[in-house]
């Protein structure tokens, strides 16, 4: 995989290239079906991770839109100015606009750096998905797994901490549609562990498995318990890390 | 370790059984402290289905206990402030062969003789209440009293109400030792200090064996893993809780209903399906003895999915978004272990509920509270004595 990334990094100087970060060996293969260039192969055994050849990729972005696990991104370094353009899928309902400043986050929802939205493109798929392209310093580019609104974000930088005052109806978890008010209700009932909070409030039990909401939940818990984020821990992500059709998992029509 | 606390009764474990016991104790005015190593519903009670299934219980005392428990749920819906998502929906067991049908018929007769209404349905009758089932399905048995609940909300609701009535809940606090002098419980040592108490209820789920060791009593409770798949939410389409006949087989170790395939046998595979209030399907499950390992495995996930499609082929296009595994506190015969132990006054067992703890929680809490406070129970619990194993 590492070798792949070096290749992606190099090729991205010439054209946008897909970066496939699907490490979990789970039964899933929409990426293979998405790619018309034959750059991604999952093969017979659906449980094996996809094999990807950056050399064949033309950067069309179909796989980015179709991967249900939001595990594929595009990297573009043609600018050659130390900035890179990274394209990520955006399946949240909030309005995102070109020119907007947003946070680029890693796989755990931690803020990596600030970026600017340079392009938004709808792409078909199971749900039409928006592909959001952001411009960020290139040394962070390989780590980006998503973006978050700035005003709602509760990242690690000082500026963000000051912005913490969120409204009660702020949606902590969009997949399961849980508001901050509901989370606070469970905290008031006395729940003090991330696991218990997650199980009862349902935050982090949806499609994204916590990529977008985990950080927020830990923050809420930390505010009440005054424990550091390390002490609060992280929650376990349970397979399938990416959603998969029941029929496929059960080996029917697949 | 500085603080010394005290309480009239200490309940070890904040799962559904501990929470129910604390709730019924508080209703009688007792002073209660729940000591929970992690957090409420962090054990089996937070990683299970919400079947309140009567027709799957063993004939005899087990069934009677479950039927008494079922009667208590409506009062909990009234009394608890949390919505426990109780749904008196009725339950189905589906047969995939004529042999299984025969077995279900025999069971239905025996269950009816014990006062539980169960109806055997032919394939065409089944169609009326569950329109689409797999081709293999030959019919099933329907129990109108079977129901569904959200086990996490139930646990939280009971604990929360107990707290409202004055119970103290110590979270992140592990029981490390129990001091017994002159044959009586005196003190409980925990990671957060000592608690003076003359009465202790062990509702520690799979931790019960460890607790037993502290008073030199062997409590035969072993962790039995069960894995479950969770799908994306859907409109309500599954009106009942549904299980396959093999589920009955692996659960009750009924020879005639055990799965035929070797792999299924190894996993203890049995089909269960329910749709939660939030719309997700929970598809189960397995019965595996693998120690304290609560990871999910790809083999089991595949097997559960494949098995589920035999019964409900139309769910094939649902996305599986998650899986989880829980550890059932399993006793040798699958029945709970309730009551006192010899030689240690003030120590009570409420454990070993195996795959039925959610269903049996209310009645367990009620009889335990009677036992602790009055020394006798309104229902004969001798069939659940620890000493039945010796
Ligand atoms: C996959 C699966 C599906 C199931 N489906 C159903 C169903 O549909 N219907 C049904 O009725 N039942 C079902 N069950 C069974 C049910 O979940 C259990 O019987 C029930 O949850 C047991 O409750 P408990 O309170 O005894 O144990 P737990 O919920 O495990 O609680 C025990 C608690 O004790 C604590 N503890 C342990 N040791 C210590 C210590 N030393 N100090 C302090 N605290 C301690 C633990 O942290 C834990 O929180 C299922 C179980 C599984 C795994
Ligand atoms: S970006 Fe297009 S060409 Fe490249 S791997 Fe994805 S689908 Fe294939
Ligand atoms: S998760 Fe995405 S990258 Fe991985 S196999 Fe599925 S579609 Fe392909």
């Amino acid at each position: 995989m590492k070798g792949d990334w070096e290749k992606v990094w190099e090729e991205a100087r010439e054209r946008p290239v897909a970066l496939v970060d699907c490490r979990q060996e789970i039964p899933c293969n929409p990426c293979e079906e998405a790619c018309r260039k034959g750059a991604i192969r999952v093969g017979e055994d659906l449980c094996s991770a996809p094999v990807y050849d950056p050399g064949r990729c033309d950067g069309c972005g179909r796989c980015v839109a179709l991967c249900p696990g939001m595990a594929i991104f595009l990297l573009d370094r043609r600018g050659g100015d130390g900035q890179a353009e990274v394209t990520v899928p955006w399946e949240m309902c909030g309005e995102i606009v070109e020119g907007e400043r947003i946070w680029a986050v890693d796989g755990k929802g931690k803020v990596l750096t600030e970026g600017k939205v340079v392009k938004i493109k709808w792409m078909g798929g199971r749900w039409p998905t928006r592909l959001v392209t952001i411009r960020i310093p290139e040394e962070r580019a390989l780590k980006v797994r998503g973006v978050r609104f700035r005003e709602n974000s509760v990242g690690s930088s000082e500026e963000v901490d000051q912005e913490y005052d969120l409204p009660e109806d702020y949606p902590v978890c969009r997949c399961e549609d849980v508001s901050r008010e509901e989370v606070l209700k469970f905290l008031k009932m006395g729940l003090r562990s991330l696991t218990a909070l997650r199980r009862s409030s349902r935050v982090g039990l949806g499609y994204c498995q916590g990529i977008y909401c985990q950080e927020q939940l830990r923050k809420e818990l930390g505010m009440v318990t005054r424990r550091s984020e390390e002490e609060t821990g992280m929650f376990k992500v349970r397979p399938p890390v990416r959603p998969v059709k029941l029929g496929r998992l059960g080996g029917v029509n697949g | 370790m500085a603080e010394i606390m005290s309480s009239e009764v200490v309940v070890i474990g904040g799962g559904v059984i501990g929470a129910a016991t604390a709730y019924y104790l508080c209703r009688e005015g007792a002073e209660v402290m729940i000591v929970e190593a992690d957090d409420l519903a962090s054990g089996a009670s937070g990683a299970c289905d919400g079947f309140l299934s009567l027709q799957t219980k063993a004939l005899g005392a087990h069934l009677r206990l479950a039927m008494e428990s079922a009667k208590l749920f409506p009062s909990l819906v009234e009394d608890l402030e949390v919505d426990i998502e109780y749904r008196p929906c009725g339950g189905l067991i589906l047969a995939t062969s004529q042999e299984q049908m025969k077995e279900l018929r025999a069971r239905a007769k025996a269950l009816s003789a014990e006062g539980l209404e169960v109806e055997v349905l032919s394939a065409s009758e089944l169609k009326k209440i569950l329109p689409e089932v797999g081709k293999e399905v030959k019919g099933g048995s329907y129990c109108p009293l079977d129901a569904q609940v959200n086990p996490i909300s139930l646990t939280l609701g009971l604990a929360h109400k107990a707290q409202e009535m004055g119970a103290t809940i110590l979270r992140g606090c592990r029981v490390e030792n129990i001091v017994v002098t002159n044959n009586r419980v005196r003190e409980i040592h925990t990671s957060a200090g000592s608690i003076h108490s003359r009465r202790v209820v062990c509702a520690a789920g799979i931790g019960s064996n460890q607790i037993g060791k502290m008073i030199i009593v062997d409590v035969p409770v072993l962790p039995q893993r069960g894995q479950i798949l969770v799908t994306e939410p859907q409109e309500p389409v599954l009106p009942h809780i549904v299980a396959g006949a093999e589920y009955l087989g692996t659960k009750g170790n009924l020879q005639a209903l055990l799965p035929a395939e070797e792999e299924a046998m190894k996993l203890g595979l049995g089909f269960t399906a329910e749709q939660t209030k939030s719309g997700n399907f929970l598809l189960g499950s397995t019965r595996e003895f693998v120690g304290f390992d609560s990871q999910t495995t790809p083999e089991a996930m595949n097997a559960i999915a494949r098995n589920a499609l035999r019964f409900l082929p139309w769910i094939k296009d649902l996305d599986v978004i998650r899986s989880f595994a829980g550890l059932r506190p399993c006793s040798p015969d699958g029945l709970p272990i309730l009551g006192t132990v010899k030689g240690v006054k003030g120590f009570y067992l409420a454990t070993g509920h195996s795959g039925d703890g959610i269903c049996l929680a209310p009645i367990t809490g009620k009889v335990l509270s009677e036992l602790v406070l009055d020394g006798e129970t309104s229902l004969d619990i001798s069939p659940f004595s620890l000493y039945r194993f010796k």
Side-chain angles (χ1 to χ4, degrees), chain A residues 182-248:
Chain A
E182 255 161 286
V183 174
L184 294 177
K185 184 180 95 193
F186 288 108
L187 281 166
K188 274 191 203 122
M189 272 172 62
L191 293 191
R192 291 295 178 268
S193 86
L194 199 62
T195 319
L197 203 56
R198 178 191 189 209
R199 282 178 178 178
S200 38
S201 73
R202 314 187 50 78
V203 167
L205 291 184
Y207 268 102
C208 83
Q209 290 231 0
I211 294 181
Y212 290 92
C213 50
Q214 163 136 228
E215 191 73 7
Q216 178 71 40
L217 195 62
R218 294 170 70 199
K219 220 35 178 215
E220 298 285 357
L221 188 58
M223 299 273 287
V224 178
T225 59
R226 308 202 171 281
R227 273 179 296 183
S228 70
E229 297 203 2
E230 282 73 45
E231 284 171 293
T232 311
M234 301 274 290
F235 44 67
K236 244 195 255 176
V237 170
R238 298 286 204 165
V241 173
R242 331 286 188 215
V244 51
K245 289 254 178 286
L246 193 75
R248 215 173 254 295

Side-chain angles (χ1 to χ4, degrees), chain B residues 43-336:
Chain B
S45 309
C48 60
D49 289 308
F51 273 44
L52 304 177
S53 166
L54 299 178
Q55 61 169 329
T56 58
K57 300 294 174 275
L59 296 167
H62 198 215
L63 175 64
R64 280 196 295 282
L65 194 67
M67 285 167 69
E68 287 305 314
S69 208
K71 287 186 197 152
L72 296 172
F73 275 93
S75 70
L76 295 181
V77 175
E78 285 290 300
D79 196 36
L80 304 184
E81 279 144 46
V82 171
D83 175 12
I84 60 171
E85 300 175 18
Y86 173 73
R87 194 162 71 102
C89 56
L92 272 171
I93 298 179
L94 304 180
T96 50
S97 68
Q98 290 308 340
E99 291 78 67
Q100 289 183 353
M101 271 309 274
K102 202 172 123 208
E103 199 57 34
L104 289 186
R105 232 173 261 126
R107 259 188 76 85
K109 210 163 150 199
L111 290 164
S112 300
E114 297 204 22
L116 182 70
E117 189 188 329
V118 177
E119 209 183 325
V120 178
L121 306 174
S122 66
S124 58
E125 286 167 327
L126 182 66
K127 271 214 158 57
K128 287 186 205 130
I129 61 168
L130 192 69
E132 276 186 83
V133 292
K135 287 197 205 73
E136 280 177 66
V137 177
K138 301 283 183 294
S141 64
Y142 178 72
C143 173
L145 284 180
D146 284 355
Q148 187 188 20
V149 76
N150 177 330
I152 300 172
S153 308
L154 175 64
T155 308
L156 282 181
L158 287 165
H160 182 242
K161 189 70 193 194
Q163 200 173 17
E164 298 264 285
M165 292 188 282
T168 309
I169 304 179
L170 301 180
R171 299 175 165 81
C173 176
R174 172 171 292 279
V175 171
E176 288 165 347
N177 204 3
I178 297 171
V179 181
V180 178
T181 47
N182 291 333
N183 296 336
R184 164 144 222 132
V185 170
R186 305 281 164 177
E187 202 175 319
I188 293 101
H189 290 173
T190 78
S191 53
S194 284
I195 307 167
H196 286 292
S197 181
R198 292 159 61 84
R199 296 189 169 112
V200 181
V201 178
C202 168
I206 57 167
S208 300
N209 185 261
Q210 194 65 35
I211 300 289
K213 287 200 177 113
M214 298 173 191
I215 57 160
I216 323 183
V217 168
D218 180 34
V219 182
V221 172
L222 277 178
Q224 183 197 54
R225 183 167 71 186
Q227 306 192 36
I228 288 178
L229 299 179
V230 189
T231 73
E232 62 182 324
Q234 281 291 296
E235 296 295 299
V237 282
L238 195 66
H240 313 286
I241 55 170
V242 186
E246 287 122 0
Y247 166 78
L248 254 183
T250 53
K251 180 171 190 289
N253 205 10
L254 308 174
Q255 280 303 326
L257 296 176
L258 288 174
E261 279 174 56
E262 195 182 326
E263 195 210 351
M265 199 51 209
K266 218 173 78 205
L267 287 169
L269 191 65
F271 166 69
T272 60
E274 67 178 295
Q275 192 175 15
T276 63
K277 191 177 177 197
S278 51
N280 310 77
F281 277 72
L282 299 185
L283 302 171
S285 64
T286 60
R287 299 189 124 76
E288 312 154 77
F289 289 102
V290 287
F292 289 82
D293 177 359
S294 64
Q295 295 292 323
T296 52
T297 62
E299 305 83 66
M301 289 171 61
N302 281 316
I304 291 170
R306 205 176 322 120
N307 199 31
L309 293 166
R310 285 173 56 209
F311 295 91
L312 306 176
W314 47 275
I315 58 178
K316 73 176 181 353
D317 287 328
L318 290 183
D319 270 343
V320 175
I321 60 171
R322 213 157 12 97
S323 63
F324 63 80
L327 300 173
R328 300 181 186 92
C330 220
S331 73
D333 57 5
L335 269 50

